[in-house]
Amino acid sequence: MSDSARKPTSRMLRTTDEDRPFTRDFKDLFSTLMVSLELGPRRVRFSKIDFTFTVEEALNNLSSLRFTQSARMPDPQDPSRIITTTSTTTFTMAKEMAKSIFKDFIHARFLEPLNATFTSLSKSTVCTLTAKGIAVLHRFCNRNGIAAPHVMRVLQSPRNKMTLLILERHLTTDKLLVDRATIEVIFRRFAGAQAPGASNGLPAWDDRTDYPNGLVGVEGIQDMRVSGKKYQYAFSGKSAINWLMDCCTTIDERETYQVCEQFIEHGLIVSIVEDKSYIEENGASALSFQPTRQAIYTLTPRAMKVCGWAVSDRLSDESINRKRESKANDGSSVSSNSATGPTASGDVSNKARLTYILNDPSLRLLFREFLAASFCEENLAFYLDVTEYLDNYKQSKTSGELKDYHKVQDYIAGAFGLYNSFLAPGSPCELNIDHALRNRLSAEMTRLCGDEQTVARNLEEVVNHCQLAQTSIFKLMASDSVPKFCRQPRYAVILQEHDFESVAGNPSRPASPVSTPMKSADR
């Protein structure tokens, strides 16, 4: 038995129109850096702190990072021979760029300096990962099968407790996707699952000093009086920004300002105390969001209904569940245990529902949350990653970019990334696809070598097989995950608002409301 290796070129770091890295690339870069560091204990102010490193160590590693994935497979020409395919991602940057990006990691709340302020960082400054940073690292390691002992010590520690809200983004611009329904999904997490108070055992807002797991709502003040009027739930602009930065996949504070503006626009929060100095200094309107401790906001009656803290005008969960049970008894639900698969009508209806979910950012966000709780989020991750890969590949092919061999190599690197993460036998997020399809894809992956013309033809076959795998995963999610998602009581009211039952009868009906990317804000 002998091994051979294939090493495609590395992936480039994408940047947005605002010259910041794409969120996913930024998180991958951060995680790759953390994996490269020792993350050992150090003494800071007479206390020993675990999982730390110095700024100097980070900058030295950040200047030239390499991340390698390998997958082993039988040679299609000789099953006794094992071929090792290798995909390498390399990040190379000047020292000044490394310093800038490292500071961006701190701004994004991934890292925290322990013995210096942000403005007084030095080479000897000791840093550690925040709960948000650990959560980002955890997702990266799960996806890429990283189990190095020094990393696992971090991931298995009590500090790994954050459940991040994964915000949906535009594939080509990386801007947040927002519409009323998506903003309401974010707001439910922002406010908390239940109204705070002794009746449900949750602490009052003013008792909250941190966000232990991302599931507790924003820090606030209960029963606040302003000008003689009592407000049941209030919070500062700064507290809102802190929650959105600490508990979501935001990496730039400007995005949190925009989300809060949407909260105001959709009638979920209203100002009760203005920060006049902020308005004067920034030339801002009194109606715009003020991200300061002095600015105070309160929840509106509509927000109480959206959060489920007050009786809503929508149908109750109980009545909706009865309706769904009736549908299920009529055979409209699909059983994942059926030996013969779903009925034709059930199959079509659930495919229509899945298409609707994938096209609606608010439902996609909830569906991702549901799949993560069901330990099968990799299905959606693969489907969306392949969609992005195929769209870019088709655009490059149409524009003639694939005549450039370096561009072909970029797509080969992307194919190896998808294969090693999701499709290789024993891969960290191995998908449940047809055995014959997996073998054909493995055989095609081993042929991604040779002269330029041969490689281009073989890449086309790999792309076709990835599309077949994507179709297979779509059918799996439609037949298994979608029916279970629809039966979840916690999503019943939201699905009813989307008139989800009528989707099955009209598969061509587009997702509504239409998703729109956020406009970028000025600094």
Side-chain angles (χ1 to χ4, degrees):
M1 182 187 299
S2 60
D3 294 340
S4 63
R6 310 282 188 257
K7 294 187 178 181
T9 57
S10 61
R11 174 170 55 88
M12 298 294 291
L13 188 67
R14 299 172 296 172
T15 56
T16 67
D17 294 339
E18 298 169 327
D19 291 326
R20 68 165 177 82
F22 268 55
T23 302
R24 177 172 169 180
D25 292 351
F26 184 75
K27 292 189 295 184
D28 285 354
L29 179 60
F30 164 76
S31 300
T32 303
L33 174 62
M34 292 301 103
V35 171
S36 76
L37 295 169
E38 291 186 7
L39 302 177
R42 284 177 175 80
R43 288 200 171 273
V44 179
R45 299 190 184 97
F46 307 107
S47 298
K48 190 173 78 169
I49 309 296
D50 288 329
F51 318 130
T52 60
F53 56 92
T54 66
V55 169
E56 182 176 23
E57 291 169 343
L59 294 181
N60 287 340
N61 287 19
L62 192 55
S63 297
S64 182
L65 279 177
R66 290 173 61 86
F67 172 67
T68 300
Q69 286 179 290
S70 296
R72 292 165 60 83
M73 67 187 79
D75 185 337
Q77 305 300 324
D78 181 4
S80 66
R81 175 185 172 88
I82 298 297
I83 296 177
T84 301
T85 63
T86 303
S87 174
T88 300
T89 301
T90 302
F91 299 98
T92 303
M93 64 192 76
K95 286 190 175 181
E96 287 305 313
M97 175 63 76
K99 289 179 182 178
S100 176
I101 288 182
F102 184 79
K103 289 181 177 180
D104 287 341
F105 292 153
I106 298 176
H107 275 306
R109 311 277 179 104
F110 292 172
L111 298 175
E112 177 186 7
L114 297 176
N115 57 351
T117 64
F118 179 80
T119 56
S120 63
L121 294 176
S122 67
K123 290 183 178 181
S124 61
T125 298
V126 177
C127 297
T128 189
L129 289 84
T130 63
K132 178 179 181 179
I134 294 175
V136 169
L137 177 62
H138 194 175
R139 291 177 65 85
F140 178 83
C141 291
N142 279 351
R143 177 164 180 162
N144 294 289
I146 296 172
H150 73 290
V151 176
M152 295 308 296
R153 282 195 293 270
V154 179
L155 302 185
Q156 293 171 358
S157 74
R159 292 181 56 194
N160 185 12
K161 57 188 178 181
M162 176 63 69
T163 303
L164 283 179
L165 180 60
I166 312 298
L167 302 181
E168 297 294 325
R169 294 178 177 273
H170 195 282
L171 289 179
T172 57
T173 66
D174 199 49
K175 295 183 186 297
L176 289 176
L177 294 177
V178 292
D179 53 57
R180 180 187 57 78
T182 303
I183 287 298
E184 288 184 2
V185 170
I186 296 171
F187 188 78
R188 289 184 186 98
R189 280 279 295 270
F190 172 84
Q194 293 178 290
S199 62
N200 55 35
L202 292 178
W205 281 16
D206 52 348
D207 290 335
R208 298 178 187 172
T209 57
D210 63 358
Y211 306 116
N213 54 20
L215 302 177
V216 176
V218 64
E219 177 188 4
I221 307 166
Q222 203 168 359
D223 298 331
M224 182 179 186
R225 288 189 178 275
V226 177
S227 301
K229 185 175 180 180
K230 181 179 178 181
Y231 295 92
Q232 192 173 5
Y233 305 112
F235 58 91
S236 72
K238 182 61 174 176
S239 293
I241 298 307
N242 284 340
W243 189 93
L244 290 167
M245 283 301 298
D246 289 341
C247 303
C248 302
T249 52
T250 47
I251 62 173
D252 188 325
E253 273 200 5
R254 291 174 298 175
E255 291 182 331
T256 67
Y257 301 163
Q258 295 166 338
V259 171
C260 289
E261 291 281 2
Q262 294 291 317
F263 288 166
I264 294 173
E265 183 176 328
H266 292 294
L268 299 171
I269 64 174
V270 64
S271 171
I272 57 176
V273 177
E274 295 177 358
D275 183 349
K276 297 187 183 300
S277 62
Y278 177 85
I279 295 173
E280 292 174 1
E281 290 174 8
N282 294 274
S285 164
L287 298 178
S288 62
F289 182 76
Q290 300 150 37
T292 66
R293 288 185 172 85
Q294 290 70 36
I296 306 297
Y297 295 84
T298 188
L299 275 62
T300 65
R302 181 173 184 275
M304 305 285 189
K305 294 179 180 179
V306 167
C307 294
W309 297 0
V311 177
S312 175
D313 297 331
R314 304 163 185 165
L315 290 176
S316 68
D317 286 0
E318 183 179 354
S319 64
I320 294 172
N321 286 335
R322 284 201 299 268
K323 181 177 180 181
R324 295 190 188 286
E325 289 173 3
S326 175
K327 289 278 187 180
N329 292 335
D330 289 339
S332 60
S333 293
V334 179
S335 170
S336 61
N337 296 322
S338 172
T340 58
T343 62
S345 60
D347 183 51
V348 171
S349 63
N350 283 312
K351 286 181 179 178
R353 292 187 180 107
L354 179 55
T355 298
Y356 186 91
I357 290 169
L358 294 173
N359 288 333
D360 186 285
S362 64
L363 291 179
R364 196 165 62 237
L365 194 156
L366 291 177
F367 191 55
R368 185 193 300 275
E369 179 182 88
F370 166 76
L371 293 177
S374 305
F375 303 103
C376 54
E377 186 186 359
E378 66 274 6
N379 290 333
L380 180 61
F382 173 75
Y383 183 90
L384 296 178
D385 284 1
V386 173
T387 297
E388 181 180 8
Y389 180 85
L390 292 175
D391 287 347
N392 292 335
Y393 179 82
K394 290 173 183 176
Q395 289 177 11
S396 294
K397 187 175 180 180
T398 301
S399 65
E401 289 182 339
L402 292 184
K403 294 178 182 178
D404 181 351
Y405 186 62
H406 293 292
K407 192 68 176 179
V408 172
Q409 288 292 310
D410 286 343
Y411 280 108
I412 290 175
F416 271 97
L418 289 170
Y419 180 78
N420 290 340
S421 293
F422 298 103
L423 300 168
S427 57
C429 298
E430 185 175 354
L431 302 177
N432 181 17
I433 63 172
D434 179 72
H435 182 69
L437 174 59
R438 190 188 303 277
N439 285 344
R440 291 199 302 273
L441 181 57
S442 296
E444 294 298 339
M445 294 299 296
T446 64
R447 298 189 181 102
L448 287 179
C449 59
D451 59 53
E452 295 184 16
Q453 291 185 343
T454 301
V455 167
R457 287 197 302 270
N458 290 341
L459 176 61
E460 182 75 18
E461 286 302 314
V462 168
V463 169
N464 292 337
H465 281 78
C466 284
Q467 193 164 13
L468 291 174
Q470 184 193 41
T471 301
S472 174
I473 292 303
F474 179 91
K475 292 178 180 177
L476 176 63
M477 289 193 293
S479 63
D480 182 68
S481 299
V482 168
K484 294 175 182 176
F485 175 67
C486 294
R487 291 195 294 266
Q488 277 287 323
R490 63 184 298 187
Y491 304 128
V493 172
I494 300 171
L495 295 180
Q496 177 68 15
E497 185 183 59
H498 280 262
D499 195 17
F500 207 59
E501 293 296 341
S502 68
V503 175
N506 186 10
S508 62
R509 183 163 71 89
S512 178
V514 177
S515 61
T516 55
M518 277 190 168
K519 297 179 180 178
S520 59
D522 296 332
R523 286 190 183 274

